């Protein structure tokens, strides 16, 4: 039986009837995606500078990634970590090969929050301690331990009762951490650029000092690179780059861009952590499944083949250059394809006006900051459409 195509109003009313209303949605339904563009059920075309919430780093439906997923699907969709798999072996090897040199092993899971839960668990296992320090403005996910480490707006409250032994320090403020970190601290977790808080940055010295403090107290340093990782900030990872004073954390957590849209998360760990993790300490049914692994390997290859990391830096240069002409833009924060455009006052009406101009952007918890998280393959010509639309708003 051929099903009748639904139009947007049918799709909207059916979703609204059958899905919990946990998201404020944009007023269209996405049907197709290619590169930096998406097409709606009604055939309209939007420039996507939000990248499906920082997920579509390789662009929508990158042909290399689609081919890899299709070919894998025809072989076997899934088998768990109870068996070996060539595609898993290749994906893990490739991911470790682009990681900071001390991070030599991967644990695969399904999402950013799950990667952070496992990272904090490993920190506790490795140190025999319980306390986790995290930072005001950081976002780490919505499961129990991750939301308890999220000192941002309403999130901890939503997650009550919170997991005990979490402590807050001020992002970018070394004195604040010095007063919170101690001999009871298992680990310190942070977003090296706080995206949701409004693309807040800290200077390289902050990261070198964090490394020193963690070493002095025997605490595990965890970088949540769910947004900054996989090329977005102009390096494979924020860790080990000059932005981080070249320091390496003990654990990096990843998700979002890692599978170009196939749900997958990972923890990358160094030898001092991996040597303490035994059989059955961590696990998850779907982690390391074949489709996800095909997506990870192809994502990393596509980023490399299409020189997208270099392009992420060109995107930043181009936007910084062209936006400085616009009086209404007060500052630009961030790096590569993780940028926050700051206006004088609240900017949600600017986001709405851009949407009317067929351009998707994001807001943040700082009402003055418009967030850009475009695919890493966005071109200068596409960016100039954004700049032109913004200049007319
Ligand atoms: C920095 C950061 N960490 C963790 C998460 C949680 O990831 P997920 O939604 O895949 O659980 C997010 C999601 O937005 C994030 O931005």
């Amino acid at each position: 039986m051929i099903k009748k195509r639904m139009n947007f109003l049918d799709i909207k009313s059916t979703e609204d009837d059958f899905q919990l209303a946990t998201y404020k949605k944009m007023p269209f339904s996405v049907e197709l995606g290619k590169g930096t563009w998406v097409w709606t059920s009604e055939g309209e075309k939007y420039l996507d500078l939000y990248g499906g919430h920082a997920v579509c780093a390789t662009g929508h439906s990158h042909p290399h990634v689609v081919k890899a997923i299709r070919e894998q699907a025809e072989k076997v969709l899934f088998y768990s970590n109870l068996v070996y798999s060539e595609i898993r072996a290749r994906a893990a090897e490739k991911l470790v090969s682009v990681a900071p040199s001390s991070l030599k092993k991967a644990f695969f899971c399904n999402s950013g929050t799950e990667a952070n839960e496992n990272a904090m668990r490993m920190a506790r296992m490795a140190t025999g301690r319980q306390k986790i320090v995290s930072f005001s403005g950081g976002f780490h996910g919505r499961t129990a331990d991750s939301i308890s480490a999220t000192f941002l707006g309403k999130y901890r409250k939503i997650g009550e009762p919170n997991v005990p032994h979490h402590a807050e320090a001020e992002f970018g403020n070394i004195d604040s951490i010095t007063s919170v970190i101690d001999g009871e601290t298992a680990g310190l977790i942070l977003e090296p650029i706080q995206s949701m808080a409004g693309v807040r940055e800290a200077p390289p010295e902050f990261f070198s000092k964090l490394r020193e403090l963690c070493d002095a107290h025997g605490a595990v340093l965890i970088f949540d690179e769910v947004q900054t990782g996989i090329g977005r900030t102009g390096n494979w990872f924020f860790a080990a780059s000059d932005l981080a004073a070249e320091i390496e954390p003990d654990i990096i957590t990843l998700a979002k861009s890692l599978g170009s849209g196939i749900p997958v998360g990972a923890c990358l760990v160094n030898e001092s952590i991996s040597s303490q993790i035994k059989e059955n300490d961590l696990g998850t049914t779907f982690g390391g499944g074949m489709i996800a692994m095909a997506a990870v390997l192809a994502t990393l290859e596509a980023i490399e083949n299409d020189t997208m990391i270099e392009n992420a830096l060109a995107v930043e240069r181009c936007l910084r250059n062209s936006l400085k002409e616009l009086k209404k833009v007060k500052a630009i924060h961030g790096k590569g394809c993780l940028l926050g455009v700051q206006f004088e006052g609240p900017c949600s009406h600017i986001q709405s006006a851009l949407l009317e101009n067929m351009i998707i952007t994001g807001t943040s918890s700082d009402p003055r900051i418009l967030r850009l998280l475009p695919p890493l393959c966005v071109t200068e010509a596409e960016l100039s459409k954004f700049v032109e639309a913004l200049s007319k708003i």
Side-chain angles (χ1 to χ4, degrees):
M1 193 179 83
I2 296 172
K3 283 196 183 145
K4 188 172 163 277
R5 261 195 92 241
M6 289 168 104
N7 66 26
F8 174 60
L9 290 178
D10 296 334
I11 296 168
K12 179 177 182 320
S13 70
T14 310
E15 257 199 48
D16 291 346
D17 282 352
F18 294 108
Q19 199 192 17
L20 276 181
T22 56
Y23 285 92
K24 184 172 185 306
K25 298 189 185 193
M26 295 184 197
F28 54 85
S29 139
V30 167
E31 191 122 317
L32 285 173
K34 196 168 175 43
T36 320
W37 299 88
V38 289
W39 284 260
T40 70
S41 52
E42 314 303 287
E44 294 167 321
K45 183 180 172 190
Y46 282 84
L47 177 63
D48 183 12
L49 300 185
Y50 199 53
H53 209 113
V55 167
C56 307
T58 53
H60 292 283
S61 297
H62 190 290
H64 183 67
V65 180
V66 171
K67 180 168 179 277
I69 293 168
R70 185 188 297 124
E71 285 175 2
Q72 183 57 49
E74 279 165 6
K75 288 188 197 158
V76 60
L77 287 175
F78 181 77
Y79 210 98
S80 74
N81 284 290
L82 289 183
V83 300
Y84 284 96
S85 144
E86 179 177 346
I87 192 70
R88 188 186 302 128
R90 289 190 191 283
E93 182 184 39
K94 181 72 187 169
L95 182 58
V96 168
S97 80
V98 297
S101 60
S102 61
L103 304 182
K104 294 196 185 321
K105 294 219 166 155
F107 170 76
F108 289 110
C109 53
N110 308 286
S111 66
T113 197
E114 198 188 348
N116 288 334
E117 294 274 330
N118 283 292
M120 290 185 275
R121 181 170 297 167
M122 282 191 271
R124 293 189 177 111
M125 283 173 163
T127 58
R129 306 171 185 172
Q130 304 213 339
K131 181 170 158 183
I132 299 287
V133 177
S134 58
F135 293 85
S136 45
F139 181 82
H140 301 293
R142 290 170 182 262
T143 49
D145 220 1
S146 299
I147 210 165
S148 302
T150 293
F151 291 94
L152 173 69
K154 59 187 183 297
Y155 291 105
R156 271 191 118 238
K157 183 96 191 123
I158 294 171
E160 284 179 353
N162 294 133
V163 173
H165 308 293
H166 278 272
E168 178 183 13
E170 209 180 300
F171 186 61
N173 181 342
I174 287 298
D175 292 341
S176 161
I177 305 156
T178 312
S179 67
V180 178
I181 194 168
D182 56 24
E184 303 289 304
T185 305
L188 209 137
I189 182 166
L190 77 157
E191 268 186 281
I193 296 179
Q194 293 187 331
S195 178
M196 190 107 100
V199 193
R200 294 173 70 205
E201 295 168 276
E205 311 82 77
F206 175 68
F207 299 101
S208 49
K209 197 69 196 166
L210 284 188
R211 184 66 276 179
E212 268 173 41
L213 280 171
C214 284
D215 290 344
H217 290 277
V220 172
L221 181 58
I222 305 165
F223 274 20
D224 174 344
E225 296 223 37
V226 165
Q227 290 217 18
T228 55
I230 313 298
R232 183 162 294 281
T233 52
N235 292 282
W236 276 112
F237 299 92
F238 188 100
S241 74
D242 54 348
L243 304 171
E246 297 177 10
I247 64 109
E248 299 192 2
D250 303 293
I251 305 178
I252 290 178
T253 60
L254 298 168
K256 293 209 186 274
S257 307
L258 183 60
S260 290
I262 296 291
V264 57
C267 298
L268 288 167
V269 308
N270 67 13
E271 170 73 27
S272 77
I273 302 291
S274 64
S275 62
Q276 312 231 28
I277 302 300
K278 308 176 302 298
E279 212 173 284
N280 240 348
D281 279 349
L282 312 174
T284 172
T285 299
F286 287 117
M290 282 77 172
I291 292 289
M293 295 298 98
V296 168
L297 179 60
T299 295
L300 301 175
E301 288 170 347
I303 289 175
E304 209 163 59
N305 296 344
D306 297 358
T307 59
M308 291 194 210
I309 297 184
E310 293 79 346
N311 194 58
L313 290 174
V315 167
E316 181 191 348
R317 275 195 301 276
C318 167
L319 279 176
R320 284 188 185 276
N321 248 331
S322 41
L323 291 180
K324 72 173 180 238
E325 309 294 329
L326 302 190
K327 280 213 176 62
K328 66 186 114 189
V329 172
K330 297 299 163 200
I332 298 169
H333 306 277
K335 200 72 207 155
C337 286
L338 170 45
L339 296 174
V341 182
Q342 185 182 327
F343 298 89
E344 183 87 30
C347 68
S348 63
H349 64 291
I350 298 181
Q351 187 212 18
S352 306
L354 284 164
L355 205 56
E356 281 163 23
N357 281 276
M358 320 304 282
I359 299 174
I360 308 173
T361 55
T363 52
S364 72
S365 67
D366 181 334
R368 301 164 309 159
I369 305 276
L370 185 79
R371 258 189 315 164
L372 303 178
L373 301 159
L376 275 47
C377 55
V378 61
T379 64
E380 287 198 12
E382 290 162 347
L383 293 173
S384 65
K385 287 185 197 301
F386 162 71
V387 176
E388 195 190 324
L390 188 59
S391 70
K392 289 184 186 153
I393 289 165

